[in-house]
Amino acid sequence: MSLSNTSNEADSSRKEIRTDLDYGIGDISDGNAVHRQELTSGGSVYARLQRFAGKFGVEQRGIERVPSDERTDSSMLQVGTLWFSANMVVSSFAIGALALPVFGLGFLDSALTIIFINLLGIMPVCFFSTFGPRFGLRQMVLSRFYFGYFGVKLIAIFNILACLGWAAVNVIVGAQFFHAVNSSVPGWAGILVIAFATLVICTFGYKIVHVYEKWSWIPMFAIFMIVLGVFAHSGEFNKLLPLQTGPSEAGGVLSFAASVFGFATGWTSYAADYTVYQPVDRSRRSVFGWTFAGLFVSLCFTELLGAAIATAMATNEAYLDAYNDAHIGGLLAEVLVPQLGRFGEFCVVFLGLSIIGNNCPNAYSVSLSLQVLSEQTRRVPRFVWTLVSTAVYIGIAVPGYDHFEDALESFMLVIGYWLAIYEGVSLTEHFVFRRASFSRYAPEDYRDPDRLPPGFAAVAAFLIGVVGAVLGMSQVWFTGPVGKLAGGEFGGDIGFELAFGFTAVSYLGLRALEKGYFRR
């Protein structure tokens, strides 16, 4: 009996149930919501696995809609701490530290870029987080209302690639921190430590992910404060003004802004996953505000600290050599170890472990995206997909540590443009065609292809958005014709801007035609 033989009794007997509940915010249908007991009913392998996992407190729900009476997560604090912990990590510190060595920016221009671009990049994450309590749908399932039942599979594939790719990049970075302290520690060992710790947390699911993220920021914030104190005491900070002027400065700012925006807005495709258990009457303003606070404060703090420490590379060769030899791990070791000795080494190792907090959303949400691909993948329990995806990104990261880390990171930066395309479609659909009204959604239709948008307009706009990204990108191995005009010798990256613009404008026309023809 295969995993796909899931709960035949439950599937065949379950009928669409519409229970309209009035919470003072309009009628809310619980149609096609799946109660917890339905996930374990029957004698199939799927049901038996779910019952077995439930004995250990493992979350059994995947992409099934959460009924309103099971949206009982009463804590708003953990909405903020999830995003605060996920970004109080060395990965976001590394984004800020790119400002000088990669983009040739001083502290002033990099700081302004960090603050204003993060403000822009996190807005879609905050916005889509408000959909979770209202509809009880995961982000990729919610995306069916923008891309259609079949078109969203393309989006899910990109999200899977993003989750797995960045998880692999992150564990490589964490392993480099261990290696920076003790060169006898092989890369694969550090990768396994971080990956297995992430696996344990994400296997248990939503509740344990939130519990871990609720507390994990505390030691990481304390260590970053130690980094700040030691570096400030060293006197190495250089209040660099812009290092270049004119087109070269513009190109550097645009390209750095693309990196900052891509990292900040990268959580958009997961946003609703972490609020689906919030009560249906939860204030949208409250969800938006807590998400905003968690993201904005942590991103700005870590990236500004990274940009500040990077300024020392302009005048201190020891910092520059450490960065060139061991990247971010080497740079932070140069700050901490000479001054703090063994305790400094302990801090560096602990910062490497911060990757767990950043990887948990990747490892948890990738399992949900895999379930969206087909009816067969939906019938594989979420926790099984978590195990499979962990094995895959370990398989990428171990050889990548020595052989193709730079190529892997370049690939991840390129596919990151898809987020601007995703936002171009989804935001245009919501604000133009659904007139920014939640009442124009019928969340109970999430399983019915005939009641969802056909998706032709969205997929066509997606492809047009890819053209915009290619025209505007500026990467080490390729610069688009428009990107070449946006800066000096190396151009400037405006791939996100063009991708969003091309997508949104084309979707306006294509969706109008599609809606007129199909009437949905």
Side-chain angles (χ1 to χ4, degrees), residues 213-476:
E213 303 285 20
K214 184 176 182 178
W215 303 107
S216 67
W217 68 270
I218 297 175
M220 301 310 168
F221 179 70
I223 293 175
F224 275 123
M225 290 301 293
I226 292 171
V227 172
L228 175 60
V230 171
F231 181 70
H233 183 72
S234 71
E236 294 290 348
F237 175 63
N238 189 333
K239 293 182 288 188
L240 287 171
L241 293 175
L243 302 183
Q244 305 176 75
T245 59
S248 296
E249 164 72 1
V253 168
L254 287 170
S255 295
F256 181 53
S259 297
V260 173
F261 179 83
F263 192 87
T265 209
W267 304 112
T268 301
S269 56
Y270 314 165
D273 295 351
Y274 302 97
T275 56
V276 289
Y277 289 101
Q278 288 286 326
V280 68
D281 58 348
R282 178 69 76 195
S283 164
R284 292 176 62 196
R285 184 175 298 178
S286 179
V287 175
F288 188 100
W290 278 100
T291 305
F292 179 89
L295 286 165
F296 189 70
V297 175
S298 58
L299 284 168
C300 287
F301 173 76
T302 51
E303 290 175 9
L304 287 171
L305 180 60
I309 292 177
T311 63
M313 289 189 276
T315 55
N316 189 319
E317 289 189 6
Y319 279 72
L320 182 61
D321 291 342
Y323 177 81
N324 289 333
D325 290 342
H327 302 291
I328 297 301
L331 181 62
L332 283 167
E334 183 62 30
V335 174
L336 294 171
V337 176
Q339 300 297 323
L340 303 180
R342 301 292 290 181
F343 180 68
E345 293 179 351
F346 169 81
C347 290
V348 172
V349 171
F350 224 80
L351 286 173
L353 292 173
S354 74
I355 291 295
I356 297 170
N358 187 256
N359 253 10
C360 279
N362 291 322
Y364 179 76
S365 290
V366 69
S367 61
L368 304 173
S369 294
L370 284 160
Q371 287 191 324
V372 169
L373 290 179
S374 70
E375 185 63 18
Q376 287 70 38
T377 59
R378 183 189 69 81
R379 294 179 174 184
V380 177
R382 177 202 59 79
F383 52 86
V384 173
W385 282 127
T386 300
L387 176 62
V388 171
S389 60
T390 299
V392 171
Y393 79 72
I394 289 175
I396 296 171
V398 170
Y401 184 90
D402 292 317
H403 300 294
F404 55 87
E405 180 199 354
D406 291 339
L408 178 62
E409 191 158 356
S410 295
F411 172 71
M412 293 312 304
L413 290 171
V414 169
I415 71 165
Y417 294 113
W418 84 273
L419 289 160
I421 301 173
Y422 174 84
E423 291 164 3
V425 169
S426 56
L427 294 175
T428 303
E429 173 68 25
H430 178 79
F431 286 103
V432 177
F433 295 100
R434 297 183 189 268
R435 301 179 187 176
S437 174
F438 275 32
S439 65
R440 291 182 176 271
Y441 291 82
E444 66 275 9
D445 292 340
Y446 78 98
R447 294 167 55 184
D448 188 349
D450 294 331
R451 299 180 68 87
L452 294 165
F456 298 119
V459 172
F462 186 98
L463 297 176
I464 293 171
V466 171
V467 174
V470 172
L471 291 174
M473 71 168 56
S474 178
Q475 298 292 331
V476 173

